[in-house]
Amino acid sequence: MRQRISEGRNKSKKTPLTATNSRSSLGAEAAEHERQFRELLEFCPAALVVVDEDGRLLFHNARLREILGYTKDELDLCDTRTHWHDLDQRERIINQLRNRGGQVLNERATWRTKTGGLVHLLLSYVQVAYHGGHISFIGGKRVLWVYDITALTQH
């Protein structure tokens, strides 16, 4: 009887191969979840922008490309200052981020498209660096949700 219990215990122990397979399975599952999350962000109806402290574009989704008329390659790591119609407006918003604890919601702004047209936007901006945090992917410091309100502004 004692031998059977001992054999049963040995069968329930994971071999190094099984533990490795389990970790691989969890890693594959995590990778799939991240892929799905990125796909969700890519096709979000609001534009999503993640920038570093200098305003360099680290992540953006399809909606931003649609609004501004650029390709993914053209926007990757670009300096976002080139898209602002009024750099003083950008500076005012960044100062508001500092003065309001790192968050500005529903701020109006005007950016330029690739063809030079003006697009009116509603921005919600979070400065995660001021909270001692960071974006888990690509080291971003600012997260910006962008809504195109051009049609509403012109109406």
Side-chain angles (χ1 to χ4, degrees), residues 50-53 58 134-142:
V50 177
V51 296
D52 64 12
E53 280 292 318
L58 301 176
H134 65 281
I135 305 302
S136 64
F137 58 97
I138 57 183
K141 296 296 181 189
R142 296 181 184 146

Side-chain angles (χ1 to χ4, degrees), residues 71-106:
T71 67
K72 183 176 183 338
D73 288 340
E74 289 172 321
L75 286 178
D76 280 345
L77 299 175
C78 76
D79 184 345
T80 57
R81 288 177 282 212
T82 62
H83 304 297
W84 285 80
H85 175 63
D86 179 357
L87 287 175
D88 290 334
Q89 182 182 48
R90 177 184 180 271
E91 188 63 32
R92 282 191 303 274
I93 290 173
I94 290 172
N95 287 334
Q96 286 177 358
L97 281 168
R98 292 181 183 121
N99 296 333
R100 294 183 185 172
Q103 180 171 299
V104 173
L105 300 176
N106 302 320

Side-chain angles (χ1 to χ4, degrees), residues 10-21:
N10 288 339
K11 286 183 182 178
S12 68
K13 288 185 181 177
K14 291 184 178 182
T15 64
L17 182 59
T18 305
T20 301
N21 288 344

Side-chain angles (χ1 to χ4, degrees), residues 16-150:
L17 182 59
T18 305
T20 301
N21 288 344
S22 178
R23 281 193 298 268
S24 294
S25 177
L26 288 175
E29 186 176 335
E32 177 58 18
H33 285 274
E34 181 174 339
R35 185 198 64 75
Q36 290 173 6
F37 180 69
R38 284 180 177 264
E39 187 172 316
L40 175 76
L41 292 177
E42 179 67 17
F43 297 106
C44 178
L48 174 62
V49 176
V50 177
V51 296
D52 64 12
E53 280 292 318
D54 298 322
R56 188 176 61 211
L57 189 58
L58 301 176
F59 177 85
H60 62 279
N61 65 358
R63 182 66 180 130
L64 182 69
R65 295 188 295 274
E66 183 181 315
I67 291 170
L68 297 180
Y70 288 91
T71 67
K72 183 176 183 338
D73 288 340
E74 289 172 321
L75 286 178
D76 280 345
L77 299 175
C78 76
D79 184 345
T80 57
R81 288 177 282 212
T82 62
H83 304 297
W84 285 80
H85 175 63
D86 179 357
L87 287 175
D88 290 334
Q89 182 182 48
R90 177 184 180 271
E91 188 63 32
R92 282 191 303 274
I93 290 173
I94 290 172
N95 287 334
Q96 286 177 358
L97 281 168
R98 292 181 183 121
N99 296 333
R100 294 183 185 172
Q103 180 171 299
V104 173
L105 300 176
N106 302 320
E107 186 71 29
R108 292 178 66 150
T110 305
W111 285 7
R112 283 189 305 272
T113 65
K114 182 178 179 177
T115 60
L118 298 180
V119 61
H120 300 278
L121 306 171
L122 190 64
L123 311 176
S124 288
Y125 221 136
V126 179
Q127 176 75 37
V128 293
Y130 295 144
H131 298 287
H134 65 281
I135 305 302
S136 64
F137 58 97
I138 57 183
K141 296 296 181 189
R142 296 181 184 146
V143 178
L144 177 62
W145 295 97
V146 179
Y147 302 90
D148 183 355
I149 59 167
T150 303

